[in-house]
Amino acid sequence: MEPAQNNPSVYLSDQADLVLVVRNTDGSKVRSFLVFSSMLRHASPYFETLLSPRFEGRQLREAQKEGSQLAIPGITLEEDDVEAMDFIFSCVHFRAERIPRKLTAESIANIAIQSDKYDFNGALIGWINCWCDANNFPQENGTTARDMGYGLLAAYLFRSPAFSTMSARYAHDLPPDFRQIWREYKILSRLPEALKGIYYGCPCFLGAATKNSPH
């Protein structure tokens, strides 16, 4: 484990026993979260393993025995979206006042990326069921094709049963130049190759994409 670093801190629990330092790809944005490790372990199989005695959990338990706030250990999470992790950590700690009332399509896609990486999909199922709906997924005027791409990416990474339905719906609504638009956004390169069936505007290809998905 690494010691907590000097950066803006977010206190998510009075029972905080762990500091998670989240750093974005280029290191330009860093935020520390004081979290309750038990909440993370219940919400994420990834953290259940990470914080087990075989890995980081040994030092965590040693710090807990000391009973000193100064002894709180820290773990640095690299190349993550800070705001997306803030949303996820706030959700699993039931800190509703920290959760934005409205999220953009890009924000939801970033949350999906982080949730997939750290296995929080089960803990976010209520949000996922709401987001993964072609009628509810946010779309801004003038960026419809981009936001549909974000919607597909989110549904795919969230492993949503609605992925096939959203794919079929968007296959009919995307403009002819959507591929060119998607190339402008690096995040959309995460969409699976099987989705190129959408290029032909045929929902049957999209059904196959879902069945062949590694998810």
Side-chain angles (χ1 to χ4, degrees):
M1 286 190 179
E2 300 180 10
Q5 301 179 21
N6 294 322
N7 53 67
S9 298
V10 177
Y11 293 80
L12 293 176
S13 174
D14 291 337
Q15 297 176 287
D17 58 359
L18 176 67
V19 178
L20 293 178
V21 182
V22 180
R23 187 191 308 275
N24 68 356
T25 302
D26 61 8
S28 61
K29 194 167 190 177
V30 183
R31 190 174 303 166
S32 291
F33 298 89
L34 279 82
V35 301
F36 186 27
S37 60
S38 291
M39 300 293 284
L40 292 181
R41 294 182 66 179
H42 283 300
S44 161
Y46 176 95
F47 279 99
E48 172 65 24
T49 299
L50 180 66
L51 299 177
S52 70
R54 293 179 301 167
F55 297 100
E56 307 288 359
R58 179 179 299 178
Q59 292 186 43
L60 176 60
R61 284 163 177 72
E62 290 176 355
Q64 290 172 335
K65 289 179 181 178
E66 293 181 20
S68 170
Q69 291 295 312
L70 296 176
I72 292 181
I75 299 174
T76 298
L77 305 178
E78 302 283 359
E79 300 185 355
D80 289 326
D81 185 281
V82 175
E83 298 304 328
M85 294 301 285
D86 195 327
F87 179 93
I88 293 173
F89 291 154
S90 296
C91 282
V92 301
H93 283 82
F94 302 101
R95 294 292 301 274
E97 77 281 4
R98 292 188 50 77
I99 300 173
R101 293 185 178 182
K102 292 184 179 181
L103 292 171
T104 65
E106 182 178 11
S107 294
I108 295 173
N110 283 327
I111 291 170
I113 291 171
Q114 300 299 153
S115 181
D116 178 64
K117 179 178 179 179
Y118 292 112
D119 209 350
F120 279 107
N121 286 355
L124 300 180
I125 190 62
W127 292 95
I128 292 171
N129 289 341
C130 179
W131 289 329
C132 295
D133 182 331
N135 295 319
N136 292 330
F137 197 81
Q139 294 179 16
E140 299 178 16
N141 291 333
T143 60
T144 300
R146 179 202 67 185
D147 291 347
M148 285 183 180
Y150 288 149
L152 288 174
L153 178 62
Y156 175 74
L157 293 177
F158 282 138
R159 298 170 174 79
S160 171
F163 174 74
S164 181
T165 302
M166 290 182 70
S167 299
R169 167 75 175 275
Y170 288 167
H172 293 292
D173 295 342
L174 282 167
D177 63 343
F178 77 93
R179 282 179 291 179
Q180 179 178 349
I181 295 172
W182 284 4
R183 292 192 191 101
E184 298 175 8
Y185 300 93
K186 184 178 180 180
I187 186 176
L188 294 180
S189 65
R190 294 173 178 264
L191 283 166
E193 285 298 318
L195 268 178
K196 61 187 177 184
I198 202 173
Y199 300 166
Y200 307 105
C202 178
C204 63
F205 281 93
L206 297 168
T210 305
K211 292 178 182 178
N212 295 328
S213 164
H215 294 64

